Amino acid sequence: MSVTEHIDGERLWANLMELAEIGGIAGGGVNRQALSDEEFSARELCISWAEAYGLGIATDDIGNLFFRVEGSEPDLPLVMTGSHIDSQPTGGKFDGAFGVLAGLEAVRAVIDSGVDHKRSIEVVAWLNEEGSRFAPGMMGSEAFVGVRSLDEIKQVKDKNGVSVEDELARLEDRFADLRKLPFGREVFCFVEAHIEQGPILEKEKTPVGAVTGIQGVRRMRVKITGEEAHAGTTPYDLRIDAVQEASRVIEKLYEAFSDIEDIRFTVGMLTIKPNVPSVVASEVLFSIDLRHPSSETLATCEKRIGELVSQSVTNCSADVWCIAEADTITFDENVIGAIEVESQRLNIPCRRIFSGAGHDARQMSYVCPSGMIFVPSCGGISHNVNEHTDQSDIVAGTEVLCATLVELANRLEISSKTESQI
Ligand code: HGY
Ligand code: MN
Ligand code: MN
């Protein structure tokens, strides 16, 4: 039997459904936010699966989880795969979870098949990819590659004032016996399996996407400051109403970014102070999530946002700042090629596709040859409880991932194909 014939689709699907019960919410989605009790339970479940297969289990100072199967030449830099187990508050069963569990299933198949692989293969569950509780996200992969320091990340607080530092201490208590690995270990290459979270693969009935890159992003905040006043007595001309002016600003921004091709402009979070019915609001804080495939266009739009906000307020003051920015990246041609060749060998249709969503593979592309494998999202729906991917596509994506990991784990150079690929 070939290594991919050892992929057990039923087991993988059952594990995905079992994991989805942790933090499960009405409508069949999940709320399993970073460093929550639900996420701790999800860690325990993944660790139990890894222990059952004798995988090496480790963590690091930011709470990333690593599951490893040793290669026949374990001193060689390893091949890494994985994604995240944290979710959005109204997330789906597959976002992130698919990449971690497909990695675990691939590694099980490698062990069961006894296939030779020189390089060790490690499955990672990155901490806080989503950034819903602690913003911005991608904390685990950014700390691993050194994009952000652990100290800076530890200061971040959630809306209840609980810091990442507080929660990491809780995590360390709960998983005290896990071996700690340093950040920045040498990785030969990284391949992440993930749902597409868009409509293309399903529309084209193509089970696998070889991802070519990830579009750039700006994660921004805008604060409109007014003055608290009595809703019943204060005439309009004496008001400095943060809600009234923030609404005008948001409307203008949506209008300005409605007709730029391929732009994605989203206001997803908005808080009001003091947020009570009979007080004119003194402050509105809202988020902006801005994305575009061209880094230049993104930079121009970011500047435009600052200009539009200051032009649109009248009596209120306004502050605009960026909490995270990342330009468009392209993945390594050798990794993309390996995904395509393995799909072909497995007779699984595959097409190249660009990612509109952000992923930890972005950070890994800064330090090693990286790539991603997408599987279709039904209706292109994600970050929504109705997110779904058919089991057959989950299995196809996992087979391609498994074959690609073995191929890359037997390469001495990233560009040197093994005999099976020639
Ligand atoms: O925001 C993103 O693109 C990712 O899904 N967290
Ligand atoms: Mn994701
Ligand atoms: Mn997501």
Side-chain angles (χ1 to χ4, degrees):
M1 273 168 84
S2 71
V3 60
T4 51
E5 287 170 295
H6 286 269
I7 297 280
D8 180 339
E10 292 306 323
R11 170 175 63 189
L12 171 56
W13 188 261
N15 289 351
L16 276 166
M17 295 307 114
E18 188 178 353
L19 181 59
E21 309 251 309
I22 301 176
I25 53 175
V30 289
N31 178 6
R32 197 171 52 230
Q33 299 186 60
L35 295 171
S36 61
D37 290 341
E38 294 78 12
E39 193 241 46
F40 285 16
S41 306
R43 287 167 183 267
E44 264 167 5
L45 181 60
C46 292
I47 288 171
S48 70
W49 287 328
E51 279 168 345
Y53 256 74
L55 301 184
I57 301 170
T59 185
D60 60 18
D61 285 337
I62 190 77
N64 293 318
L65 259 184
F66 302 98
F67 306 111
R68 183 191 305 177
V69 57
E70 290 293 346
S72 51
E73 298 179 32
D75 296 342
L76 289 173
L78 50 77
V79 169
M80 196 186 261
T81 184
S83 191
H84 57 95
I85 54 173
D86 68 297
S87 80
Q88 292 287 347
T90 53
K93 295 186 177 77
F94 302 93
D95 180 355
F98 165 57
V100 176
L101 271 59
L104 284 172
E105 184 59 35
V107 158
R108 280 186 182 118
V110 164
I111 294 169
D112 291 348
S113 68
V115 68
D116 178 42
H117 56 99
K118 293 184 179 60
R119 299 173 184 278
S120 299
I121 300 173
E122 204 168 75
V123 184
V124 56
W126 296 114
L127 175 90
N128 189 28
E129 186 276 345
E130 295 288 10
S132 51
R133 178 185 177 196
F134 297 110
M138 314 275 178
M139 287 182 170
S141 54
E142 287 198 347
F144 182 85
V145 303
V147 165
R148 256 192 303 168
S149 76
L150 182 60
D151 289 346
E152 182 199 335
I153 290 172
K154 280 183 165 178
Q155 309 316 315
V156 175
K157 291 190 164 75
D158 68 9
K159 60 179 186 296
N160 303 318
V162 179
S163 71
V164 170
E165 185 162 31
D166 302 336
E167 294 294 71
L168 283 178
R170 215 161 62 84
L171 181 71
E172 301 235 349
D173 283 350
R174 178 82 167 266
F175 297 92
D177 54 354
L178 283 187
R179 191 162 58 93
K180 278 272 183 82
L181 295 173
F183 291 143
R185 287 177 294 132
E186 191 182 356
V187 177
F188 176 65
C189 65
F190 180 78
V191 185
E192 177 170 1
H194 204 284
I195 54 172
E196 177 199 341
Q197 301 178 294
I200 298 169
L201 293 177
E202 184 194 41
K203 205 158 123 237
E204 295 184 0
K205 297 193 178 20
T206 307
V208 163
V211 186
T212 54
I214 300 178
Q215 69 177 342
V217 58
R218 294 289 184 274
R219 299 188 192 279
M220 301 172 73
R221 296 292 183 267
V222 178
K223 184 161 75 173
I224 307 290
T225 307
E227 203 172 274
E228 280 153 20
H230 194 296
T233 57
T234 316
Y236 287 150
D237 61 346
L238 293 183
R239 292 183 179 204
I240 307 177
D241 185 336
V243 166
Q244 188 183 16
E245 298 207 18
S247 341
R248 191 186 312 136
V249 166
I250 292 171
E251 182 54 34
K252 281 240 183 341
L253 290 171
Y254 268 105
E255 229 167 82
F257 295 116
S258 57
D259 53 4
I260 299 177
E261 205 187 344
D262 293 332
I263 196 87
R264 298 285 183 275
F265 171 88
T266 313
V267 174
M269 181 190 76
L270 183 143
T271 55
I272 297 173
K273 276 186 189 156
N275 201 27
V276 288
S278 302
V279 178
V280 173
S282 56
E283 182 188 296
V284 171
L285 175 73
F286 63 87
S287 64
I288 289 177
D289 181 315
L290 184 76
R291 314 217 192 174
H292 195 277
S294 144
S295 302
E296 293 70 33
T297 307
L298 210 47
T300 318
C301 292
E302 181 185 0
K303 200 160 150 288
R304 186 88 187 94
I305 286 173
E307 291 159 2
L308 272 169
V309 171
S310 49
Q311 288 159 14
S312 314
V313 288
T314 45
N315 304 332
C316 289
S317 61
D319 299 287
V320 183
W321 67 98
C322 191
I323 65 166
E325 61 174 85
D327 282 343
T328 297
I329 59 119
T330 43
F331 285 129
D332 183 279
E333 204 39 61
N334 296 297
V335 177
I336 299 170
I339 293 165
E340 289 178 312
V341 169
E342 291 309 318
S343 302
Q344 218 170 7
R345 259 175 6 91
L346 291 164
N347 264 326
I348 295 174
C350 167
R351 59 97 91 199
R352 292 193 171 209
I353 187 169
F354 184 69
S355 179
H359 301 286
D360 294 298
R362 164 197 293 286
Q363 276 65 249
M364 291 307 287
S365 75
Y366 300 150
V367 297
C368 70
S370 297
M372 293 187 74
I373 294 168
F374 273 177
V375 292
S377 291
C378 298
I381 296 168
S382 184
H383 285 191
N384 177 311
V385 295
N386 297 312
E387 179 185 281
H388 185 79
T389 296
D390 292 343
Q391 182 172 347
S392 56
D393 291 332
I394 290 282
V395 176
T398 305
E399 288 172 350
V400 172
L401 175 71
C402 180
T404 304
L405 293 175
V406 171
E407 164 58 22
L408 294 171
N410 283 316
R411 287 191 183 180
L412 291 181
E413 300 298 326
I414 194 66
S415 54
S416 59
K417 295 179 178 54
T418 59
E419 51 289 354
S420 70
Q421 286 227 335
I422 294 164

